[in-house]
Amino acid sequence: MSTEHGSHSHYRRSLGPVALTAVGLGSIIGSGWLFGAERAASLAGPAAILAWVIGAAVALTIALTYSELGSMFPKAGGMVRYGQYSHGSLAGYLAAWANWIAIVSVIPGEATASVQYMSSWDFGWAKALYDGKELTGSGVALASVLLLFYFFLNWFAITLFAKTNTAITVFKVVVPTLTAGALLLSHFDTGNVTGHGGFTPNGWSSVFTAVAVSGIVWAYNGFQSPLNMAGEARNPGKSLPKAVIGSILISLVIYVALQIAFLTAVPAADLAHGGWSGLSYNSPLADLSLAWGLNWLAMLLYADAFISPSGTGMIYAATTSRMIQGVQENGHLPSIFGKVDPKTGIPRPALLLNLGIAFIFLAVFRGWGSLAEIVSVATVISYITGPVAVMSLRRLSPDLPRPVKLRAMPVIAPIAMVFGSLVLYWARWPLTGKVIFIMAIGLPIWAWYELRKPWAQLRPHLAAGAWMVTYLLVMAAVSWAGGKEFGGRGYLPGGWDILVVALIGLAFYVWGVRSAWRNPTLLEAERELGTAPAGEDGGDGEGSEDGQGSEDGGDDDRAKADARV
């Protein structure tokens, strides 16, 4: 068990496996279930069922790598720390930036989802909230009020958060289950599955694209919320993997049931012109409920359109504040954002920063679909460090305590890297290029803190992070040159493009694992856990052939930003 230091001593370790599973489920079952079924069906038709299964397999594989990491380092904001432990500041910062962008943009997305569902109410003012593509000015104003609600619920205490979230999560599980059952009983038209272009009306490539951009990755990304709350977990070695894996499997059952219910409940008349691609519901499940006379279910869905997204928004407001604290302790934000209120155990300055960023995202991306695409691709980029970091740390620090250690991890990790690379490619050009460009926007912040360091200290961080920078550039190029069914120029034939992306994932996995080094952040973590080798001072020098060397001045560097954990 690690000793808590500094602001981490103010966290309350009050969350057990049930509460953490509720955090995971509450994150996964948010706005995704309200819109994901329709959006996946419009892309892939009935094969959207398989898209949810593929998405769960990808999430579960990647989640297993993060479960080991989370149990090793049970600190707040865990997801933004692991890359820094294994590869130093450059790779760690890029992973943290991608992860933060993916998570903080979910918060306005949940508020947008609630307002978009409200626009189906039979009132003039409600219909004026959404114009069919994005929120109007009044819709943005109402969504802003919801953002304030999410954040103020997190302002006071973690115990209030836990009690509120557990209750909301129970409701969030019951309502989707009830919705699926009611729609299946009211109208079960198997002709929708066999007709209108068959099971895969838009081809198999559309199934893979649905995994990447229809909200499926958005939904399953919630598995990381328990990991980001690890600083408040009781017995994290047991509770974290249970929460992560359990929340994914439970949500898979719910989402598949909802997808089947949606597919078989769509009126044939709505598919007569344009097929599945022509669907354009403002409030998909509520609209189907009204179509089949289930007015009570529609009213329940309108209420849940506030409760489910609000519960997820509240969770993400909590987890992003822990992520900001983690980024600050990695040395890439001012110290104010690492402060935790000693009375409530809440990192309030980080909470305020995320509130401001959420307002910006809400103003720029006013539709649920556009936010879902950005979130999904940024999420996949953040995923790739988990498989690399978990095996890198097994090589670099074999004596670190691992409450969760799977024998199959040497096989799981490269598969997870391949899965992540494929989903990134499936997201289609130019979306992949746009989000990779967003990743580059964050580099000036890293440069501000890092480029002022002496070259001897900076060089090993650059060398260890080169694989990730190169990976993003190569993936952008492959996406541009790839198959036309994935938005590319068609230079890579269908089928071969999938093989090329898989091989690229494996190649960069090997490069990433080999480039990891015993950087000061890792050595400081080893000292906290009592596993640091005797006499190793953790200097930030160029290192030996294995990246384990040190130079004078490393202790001064550790006293500053580079040794923070």
Side-chain angles (χ1 to χ4, degrees):
M1 180 70 67
S2 64
T3 302
E4 298 297 337
H5 295 277
S7 61
H8 287 275
S9 63
H10 299 312
Y11 280 123
R12 311 290 191 259
R13 288 199 174 273
S14 57
L15 303 182
V18 174
L20 286 169
T21 302
V23 168
L25 268 177
S27 297
I28 293 174
I29 304 177
S31 59
W33 83 271
L34 295 168
F35 293 98
E38 184 213 23
R39 193 165 176 81
S42 67
L43 288 170
I49 298 169
L50 297 181
W52 286 102
V53 177
I54 294 170
V58 171
L60 187 59
T61 305
I62 294 172
L64 289 173
T65 68
Y66 281 109
S67 293
E68 178 170 320
L69 293 167
S71 68
M72 291 169 63
F73 307 106
K75 285 182 174 290
M79 290 286 289
V80 303
R81 299 174 183 270
Y82 309 139
Q84 179 105 0
Y85 287 138
S86 60
H87 288 79
S89 68
L90 179 56
Y93 176 81
L94 284 172
W97 175 262
N99 198 265
W100 177 66
I101 290 293
I103 299 299
V104 76
S105 54
V106 169
I107 304 170
E110 300 305 309
T112 300
S114 294
V115 176
Q116 189 169 326
Y117 250 71
M118 186 189 290
S119 68
S120 291
W121 292 5
D122 195 18
F123 300 103
W125 63 268
K127 294 184 182 298
L129 297 172
Y130 183 72
D131 64 8
K133 294 182 179 179
E134 62 179 25
L135 299 185
T136 62
S138 59
V140 170
L142 183 55
S144 299
V145 173
L146 288 176
L147 289 182
L148 291 171
F149 172 72
Y150 301 162
F151 280 85
F152 278 119
L153 269 180
N154 278 279
W155 186 261
F156 298 102
I158 187 64
T159 52
L160 173 63
F161 164 82
K163 292 177 181 178
T164 305
N165 179 62
T166 300
I168 290 175
T169 299
V170 171
F171 187 78
K172 290 168 69 170
V173 171
V174 170
V175 174
T177 304
L178 184 62
T179 300
L183 288 176
L184 287 169
L185 290 173
S186 65
H187 190 76
F188 190 78
D189 187 354
T190 57
N192 287 354
V193 177
T194 57
H196 310 288
F199 190 69
T200 56
N202 299 317
W204 283 103
S205 63
S206 65
V207 180
F208 301 136
T209 298
V211 174
V213 301
S214 70
I216 293 176
V217 169
W218 165 307
Y220 287 127
N221 186 40
F223 79 78
Q224 64 174 280
S225 289
L227 299 174
N228 284 323
M229 302 292 287
E232 290 109 310
R234 295 195 310 267
N235 195 2
K238 292 184 178 180
S239 57
L240 286 177
K242 288 180 180 178
V244 169
I245 296 171
S247 60
I248 291 174
L249 294 179
I250 294 170
S251 61
L252 169 62
V253 174
I254 294 173
Y255 275 121
V256 168
L258 280 167
Q259 187 67 68
I260 294 173
F262 178 86
L263 291 168
T264 56
V266 173
D270 291 352
L271 297 172
H273 303 286
W276 294 104
S277 301
L279 295 179
S280 58
Y281 299 122
N282 283 355
S283 310
L285 297 173
D287 291 347
L288 289 183
S289 300
L290 292 173
W292 302 114
L294 301 174
N295 294 341
W296 63 271
L297 181 58
M299 295 301 102
L300 183 62
L301 286 167
Y302 286 140
D304 190 67
F306 280 95
I307 295 174
S308 284
S310 294
T312 301
M314 181 180 69
I315 293 170
Y316 277 60
T319 59
T320 50
S321 64
R322 277 68 175 175
M323 293 168 71
I324 284 295
Q325 188 200 6
V327 172
Q328 186 278 321
E329 293 186 352
N330 284 344
H332 300 130
L333 281 176
S335 60
I336 182 68
F337 296 114
K339 292 184 177 180
V340 177
D341 182 72
K343 293 183 179 179
T344 61
I346 302 298
R348 286 178 168 176
L351 204 61
L352 288 172
L353 174 63
N354 284 320
L355 177 60
I357 299 300
F359 279 132
I360 293 174
F361 270 98
L362 179 61
V364 176
F365 303 101
R366 297 184 172 194
W368 186 89
S370 58
L371 275 166
E373 291 180 348
I374 297 295
V375 169
S376 297
V377 180
T379 295
V380 174
I381 292 174
S382 70
Y383 279 170
I384 64 171
T385 54
V388 173
V390 71
M391 293 308 299
S392 297
L393 290 170
R394 283 195 178 189
R395 177 174 68 85
L396 296 176
S397 298
D399 295 329
L400 274 175
R402 288 173 169 80
V404 177
K405 185 176 182 180
L406 298 179
R407 293 183 179 180
M409 189 59 72
V411 176
I412 293 172
I415 291 176
M417 182 70 174
V418 170
F419 279 172
S421 302
L422 288 172
V423 175
L424 180 58
Y425 176 70
W426 295 339
R428 297 173 60 90
W429 182 268
L431 178 62
T432 49
K434 290 178 180 178
V435 179
I436 289 173
F437 175 74
I438 291 175
M439 297 303 101
I441 292 176
L443 284 175
I445 300 175
W446 174 85
W448 172 260
Y449 286 95
E450 298 294 327
L451 293 186
R452 293 178 290 177
K453 295 179 179 179
W455 175 247
Q457 295 178 9
L458 180 61
R459 181 178 179 275
H461 293 275
L462 293 175
W467 73 271
M468 189 168 182
V469 175
T470 308
Y471 172 83
L472 293 177
L473 294 174
V474 169
M475 286 301 300
V478 171
S479 181
W480 172 81
K484 292 184 178 180
E485 65 271 28
F486 295 112
R489 301 296 295 271
Y491 297 138
L492 291 175
W496 287 102
D497 56 344
I498 300 296
L499 177 60
V500 168
V501 172
L503 292 175
I504 287 172
L506 287 174
F508 279 95
Y509 167 80
V510 173
W511 182 4
V513 172
R514 289 184 176 179
S515 65
W517 66 297
R518 294 180 58 75
N519 64 84
T521 310
L522 174 59
L523 297 177
E524 182 67 22
E526 289 180 335
R527 281 192 291 274
E528 285 190 14
L529 296 168
T531 63
E536 188 165 32
D537 69 358
D540 203 9
E542 294 183 21
S544 64
E545 193 174 52
D546 291 331
Q548 299 183 34
S550 61
E551 290 193 8
D552 295 337
D555 289 329
D556 291 337
D557 190 40
R558 287 195 308 277
K560 298 178 183 178
D562 215 13
R564 296 186 179 100
V565 291

